Amino acid sequence: MTTAAHSHSGHAHEGPSWSEHVLARFEREGFRAGGARAAVVELLAEQDCCLSAQEIFDRLRGGGRSVGIASIYRVLDQLFQLQLVQRVDVGGGVARFEAAHPGGDHHHHLLCNGCGRVVAFEDAALEAELDRVAERLGARVAGHELVLHGACADCSRG
Amino acid sequence: MTTAAHSHSGHAHEGPSWSEHVLARFEREGFRAGGARAAVVELLAEQDCCLSAQEIFDRLRGGGRSVGIASIYRVLDQLFQLQLVQRVDVGGGVARFEAAHPGGDHHHHLLCNGCGRVVAFEDAALEAELDRVAERLGARVAGHELVLHGACADCSRG
DNA sequence: GCAATAATGGGAACGGTTTTCATTACCGAT
DNA sequence: ATCGGTAATGAAAACCGTTCCCATTATTGC
Ligand SMILES: [Zn+2]
Ligand SMILES: [Zn+2]
Ligand SMILES: [Zn+2]
Ligand SMILES: [Zn+2]
């Protein structure tokens, strides 16, 4: 279930590509090269929204690449430690991951309880408000995660 | 780990108490009375932030009440279905639950990566902004969940 | 009280994630 | 180019939160 889809519009391919950026970072950080890591990074790079470990596993298998599920979790953890991916938790006990772009160009998610889709959205004013809240709390907020629950535009129109 | 604490200030005890409200609702809904449900509701009523099923289990055990973990999950699910509790997910694969007060008086959480505490906060302007976002998306948003990650006021001052 | 049946709790089952460990592959030194 | 030390990998087991199953207990209408 949860056929991940998105309502993104923009996101052109610019700059030194996320996967190159990531692989370079790994090398700089002293990691060795490895096929599993490259495969996961490459796959994540071509998504524009979150995937679960199992989804990554299935897609790599489908694409001929045989990567152990343990390696996938390992790579995801490494990426997360280096803040190169964002962990997205839409409930159901499964963690999802998506590329964290350096430009801070991040989005949030609406989980539709009608069709089960995950709809991504961005909102600059919301981000500004969140910054303001962080300041008011006196906390050094490194990141945030927001999930809206409800009926997406399609489902609420029907 | 994760010693749940809070920075709440307000929250006076007013009205017909959350537990009474909840128990009445269960009766109206055709449920029979039961010890496990009463115990869980009573415990949740005296918290001002979220508890996990295991934490509820431990506290009830500690308080002499022996309640099966299965019953706790069942009651939490019933409460959730009736929208009497809010499910809070601060990651780590454990679901937490807290009383949902009828007045819509809900709060959000900052997960401190320094001390591990969960700090609760409210912000009316943020809620308004979230409403605006929902409207812009054209979605019928039933609820939302926000988690901030970073160093709480105490930890970022140290 | 009595019967019907909902509520409960122990334990097994389940599914996602982590750990273990033997094997493979990378990379610097030779 | 080869070798050796060691990181990376993947299969399988372990782990852990949650759900399911079912025999027992407790509640409610009669
Ligand atoms: Zn996304
Ligand atoms: Zn944001
Ligand atoms: Zn809370
Ligand atoms: Zn809110």
Side-chain angles (χ1 to χ4, degrees):
Chain A
M1 55 204 72
T2 305
T3 308
H6 2 261
S7 60
H8 258 308
S9 6
H11 275 287
H13 310 200
E14 335 116 342
S17 107
W18 182 77
S19 55
E20 291 174 35
H21 168 238
V22 167
L23 264 11
R25 175 72 185 284
F26 269 113
E27 185 173 1
R28 208 175 332 127
E29 213 72 36
F31 289 84
R32 287 189 188 172
R37 187 183 301 131
V40 171
V41 169
E42 184 186 350
L43 180 63
L44 280 180
E46 37 190 62
Q47 311 302 315
D48 54 17
C49 203
C50 48
L51 290 180
S52 70
Q54 191 62 53
E55 288 168 344
I56 294 172
F57 181 77
D58 293 341
R59 298 203 189 189
L60 290 179
R61 275 280 154 102
R65 256 338 239 293
S66 183
V67 173
I69 191 85
S71 298
I72 292 174
Y73 279 107
R74 246 182 323 242
V75 171
L76 288 174
D77 190 52
Q78 294 164 347
L79 287 166
F80 184 70
Q81 300 297 61
L82 295 174
Q83 309 208 52
L84 296 168
V85 296
Q86 189 186 353
R87 194 192 295 263
V88 176
D89 206 331
V90 295
V94 290
R96 286 181 172 70
F97 299 84
E98 63 190 17
H101 291 274
D105 171 32
H106 89 170
H107 60 248
H108 295 288
H109 303 91
L110 164 69
L111 179 59
C112 181
N113 51 31
C115 59
R117 278 187 299 182
V118 175
V119 178
F121 67 89
E122 305 178 72
D123 192 298
L126 173 62
E127 299 301 331
E129 186 63 37
L130 286 168
D131 288 345
R132 193 190 63 72
V133 169
E135 189 174 1
R136 181 173 79 72
L137 292 176
R140 189 150 6 91
V141 174
H144 56 243
E145 196 179 329
L146 169 68
V147 179
L148 306 183
H149 301 273
C152 70
D154 287 356
C155 287
S156 69
R157 201 179 308 123
Chain B
M1 56 201 75
T2 305
T3 308
H6 0 264
S7 60
H8 257 307
S9 7
H11 273 287
H13 310 198
E14 337 114 340
S17 106
W18 183 77
S19 54
E20 291 174 34
H21 168 238
V22 168
L23 264 9
R25 175 74 184 284
F26 269 113
E27 186 173 0
R28 208 176 330 129
E29 213 73 37
F31 288 85
R32 287 188 187 173
R37 187 183 301 130
V40 171
V41 170
E42 184 187 349
L43 181 62
L44 280 180
E46 34 189 65
Q47 311 302 316
D48 54 15
C49 203
C50 48
L51 290 181
S52 69
Q54 191 61 53
E55 287 168 346
I56 293 172
F57 181 78
D58 293 340
R59 297 202 190 189
L60 289 180
R61 275 280 154 103
R65 268 321 251 292
S66 182
V67 174
I69 191 86
S71 298
I72 292 173
Y73 278 107
R74 244 183 325 244
V75 171
L76 288 173
D77 190 51
Q78 294 164 347
L79 287 166
F80 185 70
Q81 299 298 63
L82 295 173
Q83 309 209 52
L84 295 168
V85 296
Q86 189 187 353
R87 196 191 293 264
V88 176
D89 207 330
V90 295
V94 290
R96 286 181 171 70
F97 298 85
E98 64 190 16
H101 291 274
D105 170 31
H106 90 170
H107 60 246
H108 295 287
H109 303 91
L110 163 69
L111 178 59
C112 180
N113 51 29
C115 59
R117 278 187 299 181
V118 176
V119 178
F121 67 89
E122 305 177 73
D123 192 298
L126 173 62
E127 299 301 329
E129 185 63 37
L130 287 168
D131 289 345
R132 194 191 63 73
V133 170
E135 188 175 3
R136 182 173 78 72
L137 292 176
R140 188 150 7 92
V141 173
H144 55 243
E145 197 178 330
L146 169 67
V147 179
L148 306 184
H149 301 272
C152 69
D154 286 357
C155 287
S156 70
R157 202 179 306 125

